[in-house]
């Protein structure tokens, strides 16, 4: 079974994403911040990480940069609901760091699942 790492500081939103993915047949691990996600990377190889960009402390861009600098080969979907400069700017920044895809919050369950499947990640 495919294990996806979902990283978001908003517990309710994170659990909603995890519920959607589990209902579709994926197994999920969760992290509430970039540092917690990095700790999980020492234990598990994830074919996909779905990460929020704006989080307290080390953010999603830090995590994406960490993956690149450490040669960790995994697909990444970056998501953002905005902030001071708007979600599009944060998602463009994530694109510049080489993520595989981006999602603007809020998004539908179908958008999430279709995007994951388009990256050839299967349950």
């Amino acid at each position: 079974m495919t294990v996806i790492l979902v990283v978001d500081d908003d517990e309710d939103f994170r659990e909603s994403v995890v519920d959607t993915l589990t209902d579709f047949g994926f197994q999920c691990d969760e992290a509430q911040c970039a540092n917690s996600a990095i700790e999980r990377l020492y234990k598990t190889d994830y074919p996909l990480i779905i990460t929020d960009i704006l989080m307290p402390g080390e953010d999603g861009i830090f995590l994406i940069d960490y993956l690149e600098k450490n040669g960790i080969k995994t697909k990444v979907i970056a998501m953002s609901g905005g902030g001071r400069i708007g979600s599009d700017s944060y998602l463009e920044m994530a694109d510049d760091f080489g993520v595989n895809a981006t999602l603007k919050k809020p998004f539908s369950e179908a958008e999430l699942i279709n995007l994951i499947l388009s990256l050839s990640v299967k349950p």
Side-chain angles (χ1 to χ4, degrees), residues 5 9 17 21-22 24 30-31 38 40 42 53 55 72 83 86 89 94-95 98-100:
L5 178 59
D9 61 306
V17 170
L21 296 176
T22 341
F24 196 77
E30 301 178 48
I38 290 168
R40 290 190 161 280
Y42 291 107
I53 296 175
M55 296 179 283
I72 299 171
S89 296
D95 272 331
V99 299
N100 299 91

Side-chain angles (χ1 to χ4, degrees), residues 79-123:
M79 54 186 177
S80 179
R84 292 175 294 173
I85 62 172
S87 62
D88 290 336
S89 296
Y90 290 111
L91 294 174
E92 287 172 17
M93 188 184 320
D95 272 331
D96 291 343
F97 274 82
V99 299
N100 299 91
T102 59
L103 275 172
K104 185 175 180 178
K105 293 178 181 179
F107 47 83
S108 71
E109 291 179 357
E111 285 177 287
L112 176 61
I113 296 300
N114 288 334
L115 185 56
I116 292 169
L117 295 176
S118 77
L119 295 174
S120 299
V121 177
K122 309 272 188 251

Side-chain angles (χ1 to χ4, degrees), residues 21-81:
L21 296 176
T22 341
D23 288 348
F24 196 77
F26 291 103
Q27 184 177 344
C28 296
D29 284 343
E30 301 178 48
Q32 73 279 5
C33 65
N35 287 331
S36 177
I38 290 168
E39 288 176 21
R40 290 190 161 280
L41 293 172
Y42 291 107
K43 300 173 188 164
T44 305
D45 291 325
Y46 297 98
L48 175 64
I49 296 174
I50 302 172
T51 185
D52 190 20
I53 296 175
L54 293 178
M55 296 179 283
E58 303 298 354
D59 60 13
I61 296 298
F62 177 86
L63 174 60
I64 294 162
D65 189 47
Y66 178 90
L67 296 170
E68 175 66 27
K69 285 180 178 175
N70 289 278
I72 299 171
K73 304 292 183 205
T74 185
K75 294 178 181 170
V76 178
I77 296 174
M79 54 186 177
S80 179

